[in-house]
Amino acid sequence: KEASEGFTVMKGAMADLVADGITKVADGLADITTEAFTMANDIDKATNTFIAKTGESADSAGEFEDVMKSIYGSNYGESFEDISDAMATVKTSMGDIGTDELENLTTQALILRDTFDMDVNESIRAVNSVMDQFGVSADEAYNLIAQGAQNGLNQNGDLLDTVNEYSVQFKNAGYSAEDMFNMLANGVDAGTWSVDKLGDAVKEF
C-alpha cells in the first residue's frame, strides 16, 4: 500500500494484476459452471438408466442418486454410468436390499473389478453361490474371494468360475466356505496349475 501511493508505475502494475485476476476468476467460474452442468446431466442419465434396468420406482431416484454420488466421491468407478451399471447388476442379483447394502456391495464389486480384473456380473454370481451354499453374508463372501485373489487363486482367471461351479460340491462334502478357499489355497501352494482342477477333484471324490 505504501509503495503504491508513491509510484505511479507500481499503481499501473497492480491495476493490471487485479484486472488479470478478475478475468481468471471469471473464466474459472465459467469452467466450473460448465462442468457442474455436465455432471448433473450425467447423474440424471445414470439414475434413469438404473431405474430402467431394475424397475425401481422413480420416486426413489433421489436415494439411488445419492448412492452413486457417494461411490463416485470415494473414487470408485470410471463414471456415473459405470457405477449405475454395477449398481443395477447388484440390485437385480441381490433383490430387496437397502441403499446402504447396495452401496457397500457395489463398491466391493468395483474394487474386485479394478484390482483383480474380475467382471462385476461374474463376481456377483460367485458371491451369490457362496451365500446360497454356505449361508454366509455377502460381505464374508466378498472378503473370501478378495483374500483368495490376493493369495494367487485367480492366477489363471478361473477363481470365480470355480466358485460358481464347485461351491455345491464342497458343501455336499461337508466343508465350509472357509474350508473351500483354504483347500484351494493349499492346492495352489502345492503347485496345482488351476483351481478349477482342484474343484473338479473334490467333485469326483
Side-chain angles (χ1 to χ4, degrees):
K1 181 176 180 295
E2 291 175 356
S4 67
E5 290 174 348
F7 297 95
T8 304
V9 174
M10 184 168 284
K11 283 184 178 180
M14 290 178 67
D16 289 343
L17 287 172
V18 171
D20 185 52
I22 291 174
T23 301
K24 289 181 178 177
V25 169
D27 290 343
L29 287 173
D31 291 341
I32 291 171
T33 301
T34 301
E35 290 175 8
F37 182 76
T38 301
M39 180 174 288
N41 283 339
D42 290 344
I43 293 172
D44 286 343
K45 180 180 178 181
T47 303
N48 291 335
T49 298
F50 174 83
I51 290 173
K53 287 184 176 181
T54 61
E56 289 292 328
S57 169
D59 294 337
S60 302
E63 297 178 15
F64 299 119
E65 181 178 309
D66 288 341
V67 172
M68 274 191 292
K69 289 178 180 176
S70 180
I71 294 173
Y72 187 83
S74 298
N75 291 320
Y76 298 114
E78 297 173 358
S79 64
F80 287 109
E81 183 178 1
D82 180 44
I83 295 170
S84 172
D85 289 342
M87 283 173 54
T89 299
V90 171
K91 183 66 175 175
T92 54
S93 298
M94 295 296 183
D96 187 21
I97 58 176
T99 53
D100 288 344
E101 189 172 5
L102 176 62
E103 179 178 344
N104 176 42
L105 298 182
T106 301
T107 298
Q108 294 196 63
L110 290 172
I111 290 172
L112 281 184
R113 183 197 68 184
D114 295 341
T115 306
F116 302 109
D117 198 27
M118 293 182 176
D119 179 75
V120 170
N121 189 54
E122 291 301 313
S123 71
I124 291 293
R125 285 183 56 216
V127 165
N128 272 327
S129 293
V130 175
M131 291 171 63
D132 292 343
Q133 296 304 324
F134 303 107
V136 302
S137 69
D139 268 337
E140 291 174 304
Y142 266 119
N143 286 335
L144 287 169
I145 292 172
Q147 290 170 8
Q150 288 169 348
N151 286 286
L153 303 191
N154 197 45
Q155 58 186 344
N156 297 307
D158 55 359
L159 175 59
L160 296 181
D161 287 340
T162 299
V163 170
N164 278 323
E165 184 173 356
Y166 297 112
S167 287
V168 62
Q169 307 298 340
F170 281 91
K171 171 66 182 304
N172 289 340
Y175 297 113
S176 68
E178 291 83 358
D179 291 333
M180 177 177 72
F181 281 91
N182 283 334
M183 291 170 71
L184 294 176
N186 289 338
V188 169
D189 288 343
T192 303
W193 183 74
S194 169
V195 291
D196 181 77
K197 300 296 183 183
L198 296 167
D200 190 57
V202 172
K203 174 186 175 183
E204 295 303 322
F205 175 77

